[in-house]
């Protein structure tokens, strides 16, 4: 029996959310039963995402050290745009939102044969589409690069074209990896799919550290291909354990295939629009200066560290459960699970946004400023990072809300929203870039992402009647208050931190110790203000920790109000 069937095996009571005499909402039956499995999966995915993002950060640090914000790294970033477009639109689109709900529903109903026939057909059709498009893009690489980076000189354009032709292998292998990920996660099997990005990042790091001296930026491109192969290979044992029954099939009448195509048809528009948006932003950046492309990418990668650890891990874990709940008509449990995910996400992302906003330059100095990456590059990267940080909560909410609609098998709403906000983004980019350069591009992206989150929240409210309970807004004000208190502590200590960085070298052990102390102080200050304001998420964590203490210590913690 699959993990999904074990979790969804009993039907909970329906109806409104029960309450206790105290007036506190209790968790509905399904949520209580599934919380242990979800928590376990969240830990697995969360830890893997943290490790993956740390490795991704190490990758960016090494690339910055080797190439700074020079023309080679800008060519490499630009060369990725078309392969990423192919991968995300076809394979990620098909095996993410479109495939998991239908495949998971067959498994929930106990019909494994239909599930595996569907998986075989979707993979066969998508593989052919990716291969054909990769060949076409290989042939027309140069005119495509003129669209992606019209501001590059001839030499940089040649490098970007050659790199793109190498990187066009990545959608094939990453596509197999993402297909495996979709199949495993639809069965609530998260471990190997969460580890796959680690293999990918390790391969890129190896290429950047040991082969750049001999092969330059091309070593990094070929390392990407090796990482893509590893991304798929590490998931093969999980596919075998899941009982995969793959037989290549181009039968257009496989049950469920039409539903997948219907969901994917709208999803493709949204994914294509999102990636075309990045192509357009890349084109705007290349017209200013070649270094702008690399600087914008470094800033975005720093933003993705908290975004990936918090928003992407949470949305990945809850998506199969939400899809199953919706297919079974358990709407109260669906709403309850969404709110249980939203509150911890905001509790962590709001202070993370403030911290990244105020501490962007010290973070860039510590992580990137060495080798070919100098102080001028630090200032250049910090310009867009400030505005990306402002939009961090919007990015996180959009990630979760998009998954919510896909779990409801509604791809139309998020796609229409995405297309409209992307049109807004292109309009804002054209206005802001002439006045604010890189900052204008980052500001435009943050404004449009926040707009997208607000619009989807309004649509969700219209669909479900309510999104959060009545106590949500007082709770949110307390989180903002704790974040404000932490911000004051940061502003008071920031001159001291800047002096330390100016007087000590980037990897000086004393400086690293000072930075660790400073960041520890900021985290403790937020937690202290959160405790004073009695934010339930912190009290819940403290209660669980104190319950594991020996009796005398537990009683002492109770007298101190910690349990």
């Amino acid at each position: 029996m699959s993990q999904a069937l074990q979790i969804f095996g009993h039907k909970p009571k329906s109806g409104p959310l029960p309450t206790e005499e105290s007036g506190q909402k209790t968790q509905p039956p399904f949520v209580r039963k599934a919380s242990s499995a979800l928590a376990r999966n969240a830990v697995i995915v969360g830890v893997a995402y943290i490790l993956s993002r740390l490795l991704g950060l190490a990758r960016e640090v090494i690339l910055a050290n080797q190439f700074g914000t020079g023309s080679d790294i800008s060519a490499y970033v630009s060369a990725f745009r078309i392969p990423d477009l192919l991968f995300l639109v076809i394979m990620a689109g098909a095996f993410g939102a479109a495939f998991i709900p239908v495949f998971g529903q067959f498994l929930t109903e106990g019909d494994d044969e239909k599930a595996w026939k569907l998986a075989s057909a979707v993979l066969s059709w998508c593989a052919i589409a990716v291969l054909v498009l990769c060949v076409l893009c290989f042939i027309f690489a140069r005119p495509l690069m003129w669209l992606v980076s019209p501001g590059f000189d001839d030499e940089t354009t040649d490098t970007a074209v050659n790199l793109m032709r190498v990187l066009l292998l990545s959608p094939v292998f990453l596509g197999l990896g993402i297909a495996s990920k979709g199949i495993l996660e639809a069965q609530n099997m998260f471990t190997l799919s969460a580890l796959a990005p680690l293999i990918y990042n390790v391969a890129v790091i190896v290429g950047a550290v040991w082969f750049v001296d001999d092969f330059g930026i091309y070593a990094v491109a070929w390392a990407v291909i090796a990482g893509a192969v590893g991304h798929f290979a590490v998931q093969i044992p999980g596919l075998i354990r899941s009982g995969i029954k793959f037989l290549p099939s181009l039968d257009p009448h496989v049950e469920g295939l039409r539903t997948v195509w219907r969901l994917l048809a709208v999803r493709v528009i949204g994914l294509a629009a999102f990636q075309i948006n990045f192509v357009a932003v890349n084109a705007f950046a290349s017209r200013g200066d070649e270094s702008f492309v690399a600087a914008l990418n470094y800033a975005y990668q720093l933003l993705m560290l908290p975004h990936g650890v918090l928003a992407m891990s949470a949305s990945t874990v809850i998506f199969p459960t939400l899809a199953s709940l919706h297919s079974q008509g358990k709407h109260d449990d669906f709403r309850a699970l969404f709110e249980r995910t939203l509150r911890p996400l905001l509790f962590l992302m709001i202070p993370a946004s403030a911290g990244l906003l105020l501490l962007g330059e010290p973070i860039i100095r510590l992580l990137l400023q060495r080798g070919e990456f100098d102080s001028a590059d630090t200032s250049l990267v910090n310009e867009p990072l400030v505005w990306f940080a402002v939009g961090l909560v919007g990015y996180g909410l959009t990630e979760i809300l998009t998954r919510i609609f896909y779990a409801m098998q509604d791809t139309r709403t998020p796609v229409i929203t995405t297309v409209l906000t992307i049109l807004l983004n292109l309009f804002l980019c054209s206005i802001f870039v002439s006045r604010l350069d890189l900052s204008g591009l980052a500001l435009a992206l943050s404004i449009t992402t926040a707009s997208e989150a607000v619009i989807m929240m309004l649509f969700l409210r219209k669909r479900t009647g309510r999104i959060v309970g009545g106590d949500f807004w007082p709770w949110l004000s307390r989180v903002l208050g704790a974040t404000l208190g932490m911000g004051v502590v940061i502003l008071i200590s920031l001159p001291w931190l800047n002096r330390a960085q100016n007087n000590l070298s980037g990897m000086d052990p004393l400086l690293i110790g000072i930075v660790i102390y400073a960041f520890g102080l900021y985290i403790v200050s937020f937690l202290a203000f959160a405790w004073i304001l009695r934010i339930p998420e912190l009290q819940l964590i403290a209660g669980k920790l104190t319950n594991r203490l020996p009796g005398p210590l537990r009683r002492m913690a109770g007298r101190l109000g910690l349990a």
Side-chain angles (χ1 to χ4, degrees), residues 490-549:
I490 292 176
L491 290 174
I492 292 173
S493 63
L494 192 56
W496 163 73
L497 182 59
N498 286 331
R499 283 196 301 272
Q501 287 193 310
N502 289 331
N503 294 330
L504 298 169
S505 62
M507 295 303 293
D508 190 304
L510 177 59
L511 177 59
I512 294 174
I514 290 173
V515 172
I516 292 173
Y517 171 79
F519 279 70
L521 173 65
Y522 305 147
I523 293 171
V524 169
S525 67
F526 173 75
L527 295 177
F529 284 114
W531 186 262
I532 293 170
L533 294 171
R534 305 189 68 81
I535 297 176
E537 280 68 24
L538 182 59
Q539 293 180 315
L540 179 63
I541 294 170
K544 288 184 176 181
L545 291 175
T546 54
N547 285 338
R548 297 179 180 273
L549 296 174

Coordinates of all heavy atoms in Angstrom, one line a residue, residues 490-549:
I490 N 19.0 45.4 14.4 CA 19.9 45.4 13.2 C 20.4 46.8 12.9 O 21.7 47.0 12.7 CB 19.2 44.8 12.0 CG1 18.9 43.3 12.2 CG2 20.0 45.0 10.7 CD1 18.1 42.7 11.1
L491 N 19.6 47.8 12.9 CA 20.0 49.1 12.5 C 21.0 49.7 13.6 O 21.9 50.4 13.2 CB 18.8 50.1 12.4 CG 17.9 49.8 11.2 CD1 16.6 50.7 11.3 CD2 18.6 50.1 9.9
I492 N 20.8 49.4 14.9 CA 21.7 49.8 15.9 C 23.1 49.2 15.8 O 24.1 49.9 15.9 CB 21.1 49.5 17.3 CG1 19.8 50.4 17.5 CG2 22.1 49.7 18.4 CD1 19.1 50.0 18.8
S493 N 23.1 47.9 15.4 CA 24.4 47.2 15.4 C 25.1 47.2 14.0 O 26.2 46.8 13.9 CB 24.2 45.7 15.8 OG 23.3 45.1 14.8
L494 N 24.4 47.7 12.9 CA 24.9 47.6 11.6 C 26.2 48.4 11.4 O 27.1 47.9 10.7 CB 23.8 48.1 10.6 CG 24.1 47.8 9.1 CD1 24.3 46.3 8.9 CD2 22.9 48.3 8.2
P495 N 26.4 49.6 12.0 CA 27.6 50.3 11.8 C 28.8 49.5 12.4 O 29.9 49.5 11.8 CB 27.4 51.6 12.6 CG 25.9 51.8 12.5 CD 25.4 50.5 12.6
W496 N 28.6 48.9 13.5 CA 29.6 48.0 14.1 C 30.0 46.9 13.2 O 31.2 46.5 13.0 CB 29.1 47.5 15.4 CG 29.9 46.4 16.0 CD1 31.1 46.3 16.5 CD2 29.4 45.0 16.0 NE1 31.5 45.1 16.9 CE2 30.5 44.2 16.6 CE3 28.3 44.4 15.7 CZ2 30.4 42.9 16.9 CZ3 28.1 43.0 15.9 CH2 29.2 42.3 16.5
L497 N 29.0 46.2 12.6 CA 29.2 45.1 11.6 C 30.0 45.6 10.4 O 30.9 44.9 9.9 CB 27.9 44.4 11.3 CG 28.0 43.2 10.4 CD1 28.8 42.1 11.0 CD2 26.6 42.7 10.0
N498 N 29.6 46.7 9.9 CA 30.3 47.3 8.7 C 31.8 47.6 9.0 O 32.6 47.4 8.2 CB 29.6 48.5 8.2 CG 28.3 48.2 7.5 OD1 28.1 47.1 6.9 ND2 27.3 49.1 7.5
R499 N 32.0 48.2 10.2 CA 33.4 48.5 10.5 C 34.2 47.2 10.6 O 35.4 47.1 10.2 CB 33.5 49.2 11.9 CG 33.1 50.7 11.8 CD 33.5 51.4 13.0 NE 32.9 50.9 14.2 CZ 31.8 51.3 14.7 NH1 31.1 52.2 14.1 NH2 31.3 50.8 15.8
A500 N 33.7 46.1 11.2 CA 34.4 44.9 11.3 C 34.7 44.3 9.9 O 35.8 43.8 9.7 CB 33.5 43.8 12.1
Q501 N 33.8 44.4 9.0 CA 34.0 43.9 7.6 C 35.1 44.8 6.9 O 35.8 44.3 6.0 CB 32.7 43.9 6.8 CG 31.8 42.7 7.2 CD 30.7 42.5 6.3 OE1 30.0 43.4 5.9 NE2 30.5 41.2 5.9
N502 N 35.1 46.1 7.1 CA 36.1 46.9 6.5 C 37.5 46.7 7.0 O 38.4 46.9 6.3 CB 35.7 48.4 6.7 CG 34.4 48.8 5.9 OD1 34.2 48.2 4.9 ND2 33.7 49.8 6.4
N503 N 37.6 46.3 8.3 CA 38.9 46.1 8.9 C 39.5 44.7 8.8 O 40.7 44.5 9.0 CB 38.8 46.5 10.4 CG 38.5 48.0 10.6 OD1 38.9 48.8 9.7 ND2 37.8 48.4 11.6
L504 N 38.6 43.7 8.5 CA 39.1 42.3 8.4 C 38.8 41.8 7.0 O 37.9 42.2 6.4 CB 38.3 41.5 9.5 CG 38.6 41.9 11.0 CD1 37.6 41.2 11.9 CD2 40.0 41.6 11.4
S505 N 39.6 40.8 6.6 CA 39.5 40.2 5.3 C 38.3 39.3 5.3 O 37.8 38.8 6.3 CB 40.7 39.4 4.9 OG 41.0 38.4 5.9
G506 N 37.8 38.9 4.1 CA 36.6 38.2 3.9 C 36.5 36.9 4.6 O 35.4 36.5 5.1
M507 N 37.5 36.1 4.7 CA 37.5 34.8 5.3 C 38.2 34.7 6.7 O 38.6 33.6 7.2 CB 38.0 33.7 4.4 CG 37.2 33.5 3.1 SD 35.4 33.1 3.5 CE 35.6 31.5 4.2
D508 N 38.5 35.9 7.2 CA 39.2 35.9 8.5 C 38.3 35.2 9.6 O 37.1 35.5 9.7 CB 39.4 37.4 8.9 CG 40.3 37.5 10.2 OD1 40.0 36.9 11.2 OD2 41.3 38.2 10.1
P509 N 38.9 34.3 10.3 CA 38.0 33.6 11.3 C 37.4 34.5 12.3 O 36.2 34.3 12.8 CB 39.1 32.6 12.0 CG 40.1 32.4 11.0 CD 40.2 33.7 10.3
L510 N 38.1 35.6 12.7 CA 37.5 36.5 13.6 C 36.2 37.2 13.0 O 35.2 37.4 13.7 CB 38.5 37.6 14.0 CG 38.0 38.7 14.9 CD1 37.5 38.2 16.2 CD2 39.1 39.8 15.2
L511 N 36.3 37.6 11.7 CA 35.2 38.2 11.0 C 34.0 37.2 10.9 O 32.9 37.6 11.2 CB 35.6 38.6 9.6 CG 34.5 39.2 8.8 CD1 33.9 40.5 9.5 CD2 35.0 39.6 7.4
I512 N 34.3 35.9 10.6 CA 33.3 34.9 10.5 C 32.6 34.8 11.9 O 31.4 34.7 12.0 CB 33.8 33.6 10.1 CG1 34.3 33.7 8.6 CG2 32.8 32.5 10.2 CD1 35.0 32.5 8.1
G513 N 33.4 34.8 13.0 CA 32.8 34.7 14.3 C 32.0 35.9 14.6 O 30.9 35.8 15.2
I514 N 32.4 37.1 14.2 CA 31.6 38.3 14.5 C 30.3 38.3 13.7 O 29.2 38.6 14.2 CB 32.4 39.6 14.0 CG1 33.6 39.8 15.0 CG2 31.5 40.8 14.0 CD1 34.5 40.9 14.6
V515 N 30.3 37.8 12.4 CA 29.1 37.7 11.6 C 28.1 36.7 12.2 O 26.9 36.9 12.3 CB 29.4 37.4 10.2 CG1 28.2 37.1 9.4 CG2 30.2 38.5 9.5
I516 N 28.7 35.5 12.7 CA 27.8 34.5 13.3 C 27.2 35.1 14.6 O 26.0 34.9 14.8 CB 28.6 33.3 13.6 CG1 29.0 32.6 12.3 CG2 27.8 32.3 14.5 CD1 30.0 31.4 12.5
Y517 N 28.0 35.8 15.4 CA 27.4 36.4 16.6 C 26.3 37.4 16.2 O 25.3 37.4 16.9 CB 28.6 37.1 17.3 CG 28.1 37.9 18.5 CD1 27.8 37.3 19.7 CD2 28.0 39.3 18.4 CE1 27.3 38.1 20.8 CE2 27.5 40.1 19.4 CZ 27.2 39.5 20.6 OH 26.7 40.2 21.7
A518 N 26.6 38.3 15.2 CA 25.6 39.3 14.9 C 24.3 38.7 14.4 O 23.2 39.0 14.8 CB 26.2 40.2 13.8
F519 N 24.4 37.7 13.5 CA 23.2 37.0 13.0 C 22.5 36.3 14.1 O 21.2 36.2 14.1 CB 23.5 36.2 11.8 CG 23.7 36.9 10.5 CD1 24.7 37.8 10.3 CD2 22.7 36.8 9.5 CE1 24.9 38.5 9.1 CE2 22.8 37.5 8.3 CZ 23.9 38.4 8.1
G520 N 23.2 35.7 15.0 CA 22.6 35.0 16.1 C 21.9 36.0 17.0 O 20.7 35.7 17.5
L521 N 22.4 37.2 17.2 CA 21.8 38.2 17.9 C 20.5 38.6 17.3 O 19.5 38.8 18.0 CB 22.7 39.4 18.1 CG 22.1 40.7 18.7 CD1 21.8 40.5 20.2 CD2 23.1 41.9 18.6
Y522 N 20.5 38.8 16.0 CA 19.3 39.2 15.3 C 18.2 38.1 15.4 O 17.0 38.4 15.6 CB 19.6 39.5 13.8 CG 20.7 40.5 13.6 CD1 21.5 40.4 12.5 CD2 20.9 41.5 14.5 CE1 22.6 41.3 12.3 CE2 21.9 42.4 14.3 CZ 22.7 42.3 13.2 OH 23.8 43.2 13.1
I523 N 18.6 36.8 15.2 CA 17.6 35.8 15.4 C 17.0 35.7 16.8 O 15.8 35.6 17.0 CB 18.2 34.4 15.0 CG1 18.6 34.4 13.5 CG2 17.3 33.3 15.3 CD1 19.4 33.2 13.1
V524 N 17.9 35.8 17.8 CA 17.4 35.8 19.2 C 16.5 37.0 19.5 O 15.5 36.8 20.2 CB 18.6 35.7 20.1 CG1 18.2 36.0 21.6 CG2 19.3 34.4 20.0
S525 N 16.8 38.1 18.9 CA 16.0 39.3 19.1 C 14.6 39.1 18.6 O 13.6 39.5 19.2 CB 16.7 40.6 18.6 OG 16.7 40.5 17.2
F526 N 14.5 38.6 17.4 CA 13.2 38.3 16.8 C 12.4 37.3 17.7 O 11.2 37.5 17.9 CB 13.3 37.8 15.4 CG 12.0 37.3 14.8 CD1 11.1 38.2 14.4 CD2 11.7 36.0 14.7 CE1 9.8 37.8 13.9 CE2 10.5 35.5 14.2 CZ 9.5 36.5 13.8
L527 N 13.1 36.2 18.1 CA 12.4 35.2 18.9 C 12.0 35.8 20.2 O 10.9 35.5 20.8 CB 13.3 34.0 19.1 CG 13.7 33.2 17.9 CD1 14.7 32.1 18.2 CD2 12.5 32.7 17.2
A528 N 12.8 36.7 20.8 CA 12.5 37.3 22.1 C 11.2 38.2 21.9 O 10.3 38.2 22.7 CB 13.6 38.2 22.6
F529 N 11.2 39.0 20.9 CA 10.0 39.9 20.6 C 8.8 39.0 20.3 O 7.7 39.3 20.7 CB 10.3 40.9 19.5 CG 11.2 42.0 19.9 CD1 12.4 42.1 19.3 CD2 10.7 43.0 20.8 CE1 13.3 43.2 19.7 CE2 11.6 44.0 21.2 CZ 12.8 44.1 20.6
A530 N 9.0 37.9 19.6 CA 7.9 37.0 19.3 C 7.3 36.4 20.6 O 6.1 36.2 20.7 CB 8.3 35.9 18.3
W531 N 8.2 36.1 21.5 CA 7.8 35.5 22.8 C 7.1 36.5 23.6 O 6.0 36.2 24.2 CB 9.0 35.0 23.6 CG 8.6 34.3 24.8 CD1 8.6 34.7 26.1 CD2 8.2 32.9 24.9 NE1 8.1 33.8 26.9 CE2 7.9 32.6 26.2 CE3 8.0 31.9 23.9 CZ2 7.4 31.4 26.6 CZ3 7.5 30.7 24.4 CH2 7.3 30.4 25.7
I532 N 7.6 37.7 23.6 CA 6.9 38.8 24.4 C 5.5 39.0 23.8 O 4.5 39.2 24.6 CB 7.7 40.1 24.3 CG1 9.0 39.9 25.1 CG2 6.9 41.3 24.9 CD1 10.0 41.0 24.9
L533 N 5.4 39.0 22.5 CA 4.1 39.2 21.9 C 3.2 38.0 21.8 O 2.1 38.0 21.3 CB 4.3 39.7 20.5 CG 5.0 41.1 20.4 CD1 5.3 41.5 18.9 CD2 4.0 42.2 20.9
R534 N 3.7 36.9 22.4 CA 3.0 35.6 22.5 C 2.5 35.1 21.2 O 1.3 34.8 21.0 CB 1.8 35.8 23.5 CG 2.3 36.3 24.9 CD 1.2 36.2 25.9 NE 0.8 34.8 26.2 CZ 1.5 34.0 27.1 NH1 2.6 34.5 27.7 NH2 1.1 32.8 27.3
I535 N 3.4 35.0 20.2 CA 3.0 34.4 18.9 C 2.9 32.9 19.1 O 3.9 32.3 19.5 CB 4.1 34.8 17.9 CG1 4.0 36.4 17.7 CG2 3.8 34.2 16.5 CD1 5.1 36.9 16.7
P536 N 1.8 32.3 18.7 CA 1.6 30.9 19.0 C 2.6 29.9 18.4 O 3.0 28.9 19.0 CB 0.2 30.6 18.4 CG -0.5 31.9 18.4 CD 0.6 32.9 18.1
E537 N 3.1 30.2 17.2 CA 4.1 29.3 16.6 C 5.3 29.1 17.4 O 5.8 28.0 17.6 CB 4.4 29.9 15.2 CG 3.4 29.6 14.1 CD 2.1 30.4 14.3 OE1 2.2 31.4 15.0 OE2 1.1 29.9 13.8
L538 N 5.8 30.2 18.0 CA 7.0 30.1 18.8 C 6.7 29.4 20.1 O 7.5 28.5 20.6 CB 7.6 31.5 19.2 CG 8.8 31.5 20.0 CD1 9.9 30.8 19.3 CD2 9.2 33.0 20.3
Q539 N 5.5 29.7 20.7 CA 5.1 29.0 22.0 C 4.9 27.5 21.7 O 5.3 26.7 22.6 CB 3.9 29.6 22.5 CG 4.1 31.1 23.0 CD 2.8 31.7 23.5 OE1 1.8 31.6 22.9 NE2 2.9 32.4 24.6
L540 N 4.4 27.1 20.5 CA 4.2 25.7 20.2 C 5.5 25.0 20.1 O 5.7 23.9 20.7 CB 3.4 25.6 18.9 CG 3.1 24.2 18.4 CD1 2.2 23.5 19.4 CD2 2.5 24.2 17.0
I541 N 6.5 25.6 19.5 CA 7.8 25.0 19.3 C 8.5 24.9 20.7 O 9.0 23.8 21.1 CB 8.7 25.9 18.4 CG1 8.2 25.8 17.0 CG2 10.2 25.3 18.4 CD1 8.8 26.8 16.1
A542 N 8.4 25.9 21.5 CA 9.0 25.9 22.9 C 8.3 24.8 23.7 O 9.0 24.1 24.5 CB 8.8 27.2 23.5
G543 N 7.0 24.7 23.6 CA 6.3 23.7 24.4 C 6.7 22.3 24.0 O 6.9 21.4 24.8
K544 N 6.9 22.0 22.7 CA 7.3 20.7 22.2 C 8.7 20.4 22.7 O 9.0 19.2 23.1 CB 7.2 20.6 20.7 CG 5.8 20.5 20.2 CD 5.8 20.3 18.7 CE 4.3 20.2 18.2 NZ 4.3 19.9 16.7
L545 N 9.6 21.4 22.7 CA 10.9 21.2 23.2 C 11.0 20.9 24.7 O 11.7 20.0 25.2 CB 11.8 22.4 22.8 CG 12.1 22.6 21.4 CD1 12.9 23.9 21.2 CD2 12.9 21.4 20.8
T546 N 10.2 21.7 25.5 CA 10.2 21.5 26.9 C 9.6 20.2 27.3 O 10.0 19.6 28.4 CB 9.5 22.7 27.6 OG1 8.2 22.8 27.1 CG2 10.3 24.0 27.4
N547 N 8.7 19.7 26.6 CA 8.0 18.4 26.9 C 9.0 17.2 26.8 O 8.7 16.2 27.4 CB 6.8 18.1 26.0 CG 5.6 19.0 26.3 OD1 5.5 19.5 27.4 ND2 4.7 19.2 25.4
R548 N 10.1 17.4 26.1 CA 11.1 16.4 26.0 C 12.2 16.5 27.1 O 13.0 15.6 27.2 CB 11.8 16.5 24.7 CG 10.9 16.2 23.5 CD 11.6 16.3 22.2 NE 10.7 16.1 21.0 CZ 10.4 14.9 20.5 NH1 11.0 13.9 21.0 NH2 9.6 14.8 19.5
L549 N 12.1 17.5 28.0 CA 13.0 17.7 29.1 C 12.7 16.7 30.2 O 11.5 16.3 30.4 CB 13.0 19.1 29.6 CG 13.5 20.2 28.6 CD1 13.3 21.6 29.2 CD2 14.9 20.0 28.2

